[in-house]
Amino acid sequence: MTATRTILVSGDPAAPEVAAATALHAARSGRRTLLLAADDPHRTLDAVLGVRLEAEPAGYAPGLAVARTDEQAAFRHALDEIGGRLKPALDLLGADPLDPEELTALPGTARLALLRALPAVEAEVLVVLAPPPADLIATLALPEQLERYLARLVPEQRQAARALRPLLAGLAGVPMPADWLYETRTKAAGALAAARAAITSPGTSVRLVTAADAHPFAELRRIRAGLALHGHRPDAVVVHGVLPDAAAESPDPWLAALAGRRRDELTALAATLDGIPLLTTGPAEATLEAVADRLYGAGSGPEARAAGPWTVEDRLAADGLLVWHLALPGAVREDLDLVRRGDELVVGLGAHRRVLALPSALRRCTVAGAGLRDGLLSIRFAPDPALWPR
């Protein structure tokens, strides 16, 4: 089966219209498409489409189905996974279990609902009305973070053979973890791996939406840096509400001056995007078809683009150093925070943080310095004489 092309549309209040137009364009080009609303509590996409979205996909146009993630179902699914295991303990305490009607999704469940939905989609194209950029970055980072926590809290290699557990319990003087704990860990690891595979697939990308009058330079820079930290690169930036070219020739001097400023701003913005396509829509398009035509014309739209590679440069002969290059377009020195922690490097960019496992050669080195220039973070490592092979 062909891998699903996934487009996560995120940004300002025009994102629902852009997501709907993107999905409609994909369906009109003959590809089986699903439009999915995620973390959309005010049902903004419902208003754009003129239909009420439900958890089960429903046909909207030829080749296009629409649906929304179900936070309540995702929450109940998570509880069902552990509820049966906790029942004996609850019975022992005399606690009454909660009825399904009493369960209310907790904060953060929307992220889990989206991660659970992504691997299950069976469509050629999946367009997601995603959470706002900061929440989206946190969602994309979640599987890796949870996998790391899982590996630390319930290490797989510590699963002793069942026959030895009673003996080990007697020697240690404490009960050994029950089989269900490792069974639950295995299920959780499988779900996280599936979500991470969907997120990191070459066909998955983020499409950012911003308003023409929002002066988005600094905000887009921070968003791009946060995405890059977690290995993602936008496939396009959509600017909506752009004045038509004719406005620059308007007899109204105020309108002509405004159109000229906006045109210069777009030119300047395009120059900061390092080749990421800049797409535009007008102040008011009559239909979703018109928005799709304005954005994509007769083409298929921007393709997913891989983030810059992170490589280790061998400069031992010349400088006695190894240099780890991390492509972080949009990053600035003021937001950067680096901490070496054993065989890991903690990289912070403003509100975003990622724990990176050091490549094997760098684990035998000490950090000798770092520099950030034009979106490229270069961390210098010097071999540790006590650990480096002679």
Side-chain angles (χ1 to χ4, degrees), residues 321-324 338 345 366-372 377-382:
L321 297 171
L322 296 172
V323 184
W324 197 14
L338 296 175
L345 183 71
T366 58
V367 177
L372 178 64
L377 174 62
S378 300
I379 309 167
R380 301 183 295 278
F381 290 82

Side-chain angles (χ1 to χ4, degrees), residues 277-295:
L278 182 64
L279 311 177
T280 63
T281 68
E285 306 287 354
T287 63
L288 287 177
E289 289 83 359
V291 177
D293 291 340
R294 171 74 179 262
L295 286 174

Side-chain angles (χ1 to χ4, degrees), residues 22-384:
T22 301
L24 186 61
H25 178 78
R28 290 164 65 192
S29 66
R31 292 177 289 177
R32 189 162 50 90
T33 304
L34 174 64
L35 172 60
L36 182 67
D39 196 13
D40 184 24
H42 303 297
R43 291 187 172 270
T44 54
L45 189 56
D46 297 40
V48 169
L49 297 173
V51 299
R52 183 176 178 83
L53 302 183
E54 303 294 349
E56 287 298 319
Y60 177 79
L64 175 60
V66 294
R68 64 185 290 109
T69 55
D70 189 338
E71 296 179 43
Q72 196 72 9
F75 183 60
R76 290 178 179 175
H77 174 78
L79 288 183
D80 287 343
E81 289 291 313
I82 61 173
R85 308 298 186 180
L86 295 179
K87 189 177 185 302
L90 295 176
D91 291 342
L92 186 64
L93 296 172
D96 293 328
L98 293 171
D99 293 328
E101 294 76 16
E102 297 180 85
L103 298 175
T104 302
L106 298 176
T109 309
R111 297 179 183 177
L112 296 177
L114 176 56
L115 293 175
R116 181 168 173 249
L118 289 178
V121 170
E122 296 181 357
E124 293 178 82
V125 178
L126 169 64
V127 180
V128 180
L129 174 58
D135 288 339
L136 176 59
I137 295 171
T139 301
L140 296 175
L142 194 56
E144 180 180 287
Q145 292 171 346
L146 293 180
E147 283 178 337
R148 184 172 180 274
Y149 297 159
L150 199 61
R152 291 287 296 274
L153 296 175
V154 192
E156 190 173 12
Q157 61 269 27
R158 292 188 185 178
Q159 296 188 39
R162 292 182 182 180
L164 294 179
R165 285 184 189 169
L167 174 61
L168 293 175
L171 292 174
V174 296
M176 296 299 292
D179 289 341
W180 73 263
L181 177 63
Y182 292 110
E183 292 170 1
T184 302
R185 182 209 187 280
T186 300
K187 288 183 179 180
L192 290 173
R196 192 173 180 185
I199 287 172
T200 58
S201 167
T204 297
S205 63
V206 178
R207 197 159 297 176
L208 299 174
V209 183
T210 187
D213 58 356
H215 306 290
F217 296 88
E219 183 63 19
L220 281 175
R221 176 189 59 74
R222 286 190 288 268
I223 293 169
R224 289 178 57 213
L227 287 170
L229 177 61
H230 294 286
H232 302 280
R233 173 185 169 94
D235 64 9
V237 171
V238 178
V239 180
H240 73 90
V242 174
L243 294 172
D245 294 338
E249 308 300 329
S250 171
D252 182 341
W254 180 86
L255 180 58
L258 177 63
R261 287 198 304 273
R262 295 283 169 78
R263 182 180 57 200
D264 293 342
E265 289 171 357
L266 284 177
T267 301
L269 177 59
T272 69
L273 295 181
D274 303 319
I276 297 173
L278 182 64
L279 311 177
T280 63
T281 68
E285 306 287 354
T287 63
L288 287 177
E289 289 83 359
V291 177
D293 291 340
R294 171 74 179 262
L295 286 174
Y296 310 118
S300 60
E303 294 300 321
R305 305 176 67 184
W310 293 0
T311 59
V312 177
E313 180 186 2
D314 186 346
R315 286 173 26 192
L316 290 173
D319 305 315
L321 297 171
L322 296 172
V323 184
W324 197 14
H325 297 292
L326 280 64
L328 299 173
V332 295
R333 187 173 303 171
E334 293 76 13
D335 292 339
L336 185 63
D337 182 29
L338 296 175
V339 177
R340 168 77 180 269
R341 182 183 177 279
D343 290 341
E344 298 173 330
L345 183 71
V346 183
V347 182
L349 278 178
H352 308 293
R353 186 170 296 269
R354 186 178 183 187
V355 181
L356 301 171
L358 291 173
S360 57
L362 302 185
R363 297 174 188 175
R364 302 189 298 273
C365 300
T366 58
V367 177
L372 178 64
R373 183 176 181 181
D374 297 330
L376 183 65
L377 174 62
S378 300
I379 309 167
R380 301 183 295 278
F381 290 82
D384 185 340

